[in-house]
């Protein structure tokens, strides 16, 4: 789930299955908030394209937006009410029109599955 002053849509990633969502990004009518541009779940699982789960945030506005104090939080669909993962976004500003890559935990089985992500803006880097 995203916690960003309640401006971003709540989102759950399902552990154990590959989930990729790529829908047109929609934002406030004045384009003043970030949008979730892409979500990938199931990184590292059998048949996965990437080793990490990840979320891409997009700034559709004409001004930089600070994510200082924000985090991406997720849990398994079968998990408890507590969040199992929290990725702090750090002290960053997302420039106008730019995207921001947030990498989740990397799955490294004995035989790695999937490609390594580019260097993320926040979260875990690939190995």
């Amino acid at each position: 789930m995203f916690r960003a002053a309640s401006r971003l849509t709540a989102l759950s990633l399902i552990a154990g299955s590959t989930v990729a969502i790529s829908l047109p990004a929609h934002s406030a009518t004045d384009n003043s908030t970030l949008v979730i541009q892409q979500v990938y779940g199931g990184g590292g699982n059998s048949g996965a394209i990437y080793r990490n789960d990840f979320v891409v945030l997009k700034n559709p506005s004409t001004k930089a937006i600070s994510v200082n104090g924000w985090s991406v939080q997720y849990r398994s669909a079968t998990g408890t009410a507590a969040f199992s993962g929290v990725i702090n976004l750090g002290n960053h500003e997302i420039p106008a029109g730019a995207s921001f890559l947030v990498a989740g935990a990397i799955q490294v089985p004995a035989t790695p599955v999937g490609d390594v992500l580019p260097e993320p803006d926040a979260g875990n880097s690939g190995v």
Side-chain angles (χ1 to χ4, degrees), residues 4 11 13 22 33 35 48 50 61 91 93 102-103 116 127:
L11 170 74
L13 299 179
S22 189
T33 62
V35 295
Y50 296 103
S61 78
N91 187 17
E93 280 193 344
V102 182
V116 175
V127 279

Side-chain angles (χ1 to χ4, degrees), residues 106-125:
I106 191 162
Q107 303 297 321
V108 186
T111 305
V113 177
D115 292 335
V116 175
L117 289 177
E119 189 64 31
D121 298 297
N124 301 303
S125 41

Side-chain angles (χ1 to χ4, degrees), residues 3 67 69-73 86-90 92 100 102 121-123:
R3 184 184 71 210
V67 292
W70 292 19
S71 64
V72 170
Q73 301 181 16
V86 176
I87 303 168
N88 292 315
L89 301 186
H92 296 283
F100 189 86
V102 182
D121 298 297

Side-chain angles (χ1 to χ4, degrees), residues 16-20 40-54 107 109 111-116:
S17 64
T18 300
V19 177
Y40 180 80
N45 291 324
S46 176
I49 299 169
Y50 296 103
R51 293 183 191 179
N52 301 68
D53 295 341
F54 65 85
Q107 303 297 321
T111 305
V113 177
D115 292 335
V116 175

